[in-house]
Amino acid sequence: MYMQPLISDTPRTPKNPLRLCVFVSGNGSNLQALIDAANAPNTCFKIALVISNIKNTFALGRAHAAGIPAVTICHNDFSSRLDFEKTLITQCIDYHVELVVLAGFMRVLSPHFLSYFPNQVVNVHPALCPAFPGIHAARQALARGVKYAGCTVHLVNEGVDEGPIIAQAIVPVYPDDDENRLQKRIQIQEHLLLPKMIQEIAIGNVLIADSEICLRKKSDPVI
Ligand code: GRF
């Protein structure tokens, strides 16, 4: 099976970085992890734009503090999801966005949006997908009595938290855990995994064929 790099055949460099738009709805700790990573010397991605669908989020403050263009596009201001998404698409096009990263974005994107960015929308979910989709993933994990939890970086498809998996990180679940403690442990891993995988995408190490994803091993020949 011929596998090709997810975004482009040309591996990005710090001087020619992959342009991201990060979609947020709240705190933005994953956005912060991306901002910090983007400032590191060898990083091959750049946050071109941040979009929040909620007004005055903490995440917007993080973008402003970092000098990153940030806009609020509130879904409640539109009469239809299509109009909301058309505005998201227009903004992304205006900023020459190549990869959309959902980092705590609490809206489901429709096939209309996804068709504009085929295999170009990535999500981070605080569970070992396909387990525990939707909200309160840590709560669901505790209720189910799992011994290991974690997070997943995956491509977004039309389902909820179920697109092709790019990478996962695992954390233990301890007998005395509560939701908050488990969620914090998972988030520490999210903040490491998400920037790491965006960098891997940027340098062409995430390969795809149909809906199958694999990571190029260091020893693989360059295609
Ligand atoms: C993260 O746990 C992410 O996995 C989930 O929503 C949470 C957002 O947290 N989709 P933050 O806004 O990045 O702090």
Side-chain angles (χ1 to χ4, degrees), residues 24-32 59 62 102-106 123-127 151-152 161 183 186-187 190-191:
V24 294
S25 298
N27 176 36
S29 65
N30 281 287
L31 168 66
Q32 189 65 54
R62 295 180 193 267
L102 310 185
F105 183 65
M106 302 303 281
N123 183 41
V124 59
H125 183 63
C151 60
T152 303
D161 303 320
Q183 201 163 301
I186 293 170
Q187 278 221 324
E190 288 187 323
H191 300 161

Side-chain angles (χ1 to χ4, degrees), residues 65-129:
I68 296 167
V71 293
T72 302
I73 302 175
C74 186
H75 55 283
N76 288 328
D77 294 344
F78 297 85
S79 57
S80 71
R81 181 155 78 160
L82 185 62
D83 287 343
F84 168 60
E85 291 190 349
K86 279 181 176 168
T87 307
L88 297 177
I89 291 165
T90 304
Q91 284 288 327
C92 288
I93 291 171
D94 285 352
Y95 280 82
H96 307 290
V97 167
E98 299 168 285
L99 184 73
V100 173
V101 181
L102 310 185
F105 183 65
M106 302 303 281
R107 304 297 298 174
V108 174
L109 294 168
S110 77
H112 173 78
F113 183 93
L114 295 174
S115 68
Y116 269 83
F117 297 100
N119 293 333
Q120 289 168 276
V121 185
V122 167
N123 183 41
V124 59
H125 183 63
L128 296 172
C129 295

Side-chain angles (χ1 to χ4, degrees), residues 147-186:
K147 304 300 178 216
Y148 291 93
C151 60
T152 303
V153 173
H154 66 93
L155 276 186
V156 175
N157 65 9
E158 289 156 27
V160 174
D161 303 320
E162 66 162 45
I165 293 169
I166 298 172
Q168 295 181 307
I170 296 170
V171 302
V173 180
Y174 298 121
D176 58 345
D177 269 346
D178 59 21
E179 185 180 353
N180 193 33
R181 279 184 52 178
L182 178 56
Q183 201 163 301
K184 281 193 178 143
R185 194 175 307 124
I186 293 170

